Amino acid sequence: EAQVTQNPRYLITVTGKKLTVTCSQNMNHEYMSWYRQDPGLGLRQIYYSMNVEVTDKGDVPEGYKVSRKEKRNFPLILESPSPNQTSLYFCASSVGQGINQPQHFGDGTRLSIL
Amino acid sequence: AQTVTQSQPEMSVQEAETVTLSCTYDTSESDYYLFWYKQPPSRQMILVIRQEAYKQQNATENRFSVNFQKAAKSFSLKISDSQLGDAAMYFCAYRSAPRRDSGYALNFGKGTSLLVTP
């Protein structure tokens, strides 16, 4: 089954404790992206990757890091999480370079930073 | 980045009736794609329908159709014969041709919460 898998689904942690949210897709998609969703703000892009070893900042990259060492994986790293990073996070992927391709989303990760 | 505006934070429709969700966007580009995504309480993001800007014909997917007005930069979603399972948050999204500063980002509106009443 084609899917984007995020882990964990839920996490409560404390300020400053490094955490990683993993994202894996099994569709051989080149493009992967991270979004955060906050009430009243919709979804905002954090980082994206157009292929292995190619990553770039989205609209709200501050406080986040990503890596793309393999095509299927695109982890989101919070080196020193802060309460303003409490949010619902989505990983997404899409095939090739075609802009008409819809993004396939993971089920979301709810992070609470205390 | 392109701006996507959904002016209706909440909408309500009775089962079996028709409802239209509005979306406008701001762009100077001629080549782009528009999408409607549905987010039910499970929080999944599900693609509902997409529209290529170069196509004049409005996209249709079963009970879902769009009214795409390119000159007006408007992209509304019509849901016919509404069902209880249609209750969700609906997001309009814009995707431009790839550029170095934005890649293949999807720019989302803030969403419209649709309530379906029996």
Side-chain angles (χ1 to χ4, degrees):
Chain A
E1 180 188 349
Q3 59 186 3
V4 177
T5 304
Q6 296 178 226
N7 279 298
R9 293 289 312 278
Y10 304 91
L11 178 64
I12 302 173
T13 188
V14 296
T15 298
K17 186 176 180 182
K18 180 180 178 180
L19 68 92
T20 299
V21 185
T22 63
C23 175
S24 180
Q25 49 92 5
N26 63 359
M27 296 167 280
N28 202 36
H29 285 172
E30 284 86 358
Y31 180 78
M32 297 185 75
S33 180
W34 276 103
Y35 296 89
R36 61 177 289 174
Q37 182 180 9
D38 302 290
L41 297 177
L43 280 85
R44 295 176 293 168
Q45 190 179 49
I46 304 170
Y47 268 95
Y48 63 93
S49 168
M50 286 193 270
N51 215 324
V52 176
E53 302 292 2
V54 181
T55 64
D56 212 340
K57 297 177 181 178
D59 295 324
V60 288
E62 293 79 19
Y64 304 95
K65 285 175 57 177
V66 294
S67 69
R68 188 90 182 274
K69 294 184 172 59
E70 305 165 281
K71 199 172 188 179
R72 64 183 291 126
N73 296 324
F74 190 46
L76 179 69
I77 303 157
L78 286 72
E79 293 272 2
S80 183
S82 61
N84 64 10
Q85 293 177 297
T86 293
S87 187
L88 178 61
Y89 291 85
F90 286 98
C91 179
S93 72
S94 64
V95 65
Q97 306 293 314
I99 66 169
N100 63 323
Q101 297 300 323
Q103 294 193 9
H104 297 260
F105 284 82
D107 288 340
T109 295
R110 185 166 290 283
L111 286 184
S112 294
I113 316 294
L114 305 178
Chain B
Q2 282 71 23
T3 303
V4 178
T5 302
Q6 293 178 249
S7 59
Q8 307 152 316
E10 293 179 349
M11 290 284 285
S12 181
V13 63
Q14 207 158 12
E15 208 174 357
E17 297 296 310
T18 295
V19 65
T20 299
L21 309 183
S22 66
C23 173
T24 59
Y25 56 94
D26 183 24
T27 186
S28 58
E29 298 172 331
S30 59
D31 186 17
Y32 53 88
Y33 285 78
L34 297 163
F35 303 88
W36 277 98
Y37 281 88
K38 170 185 177 181
Q39 187 181 43
S42 66
R43 291 299 186 180
Q44 290 177 301
M45 292 288 287
I46 303 165
L47 177 68
V48 175
I49 199 166
R50 63 184 173 186
Q51 173 79 44
E52 292 90 337
Y54 65 86
K55 286 189 177 178
Q56 292 186 332
Q57 187 173 5
N58 290 324
T60 298
E61 288 286 342
N62 301 314
R63 298 183 294 107
F64 298 87
S65 62
V66 298
N67 183 6
F68 174 49
Q69 302 288 329
K70 191 172 184 179
K73 299 177 184 176
S74 169
F75 181 60
S76 60
L77 174 69
K78 185 171 85 170
I79 306 174
S80 305
D81 186 25
S82 296
Q83 300 174 359
L84 294 177
D86 294 334
M89 182 74 82
Y90 286 82
F91 291 97
C92 177
Y94 171 105
R95 193 178 203 188
S96 59
R99 298 193 307 275
R100 191 180 186 282
D101 61 345
S102 70
Y104 303 96
L106 272 178
N107 295 104
F108 286 88
K110 294 181 180 180
T112 296
S113 179
L114 179 66
L115 175 67
V116 182
T117 57

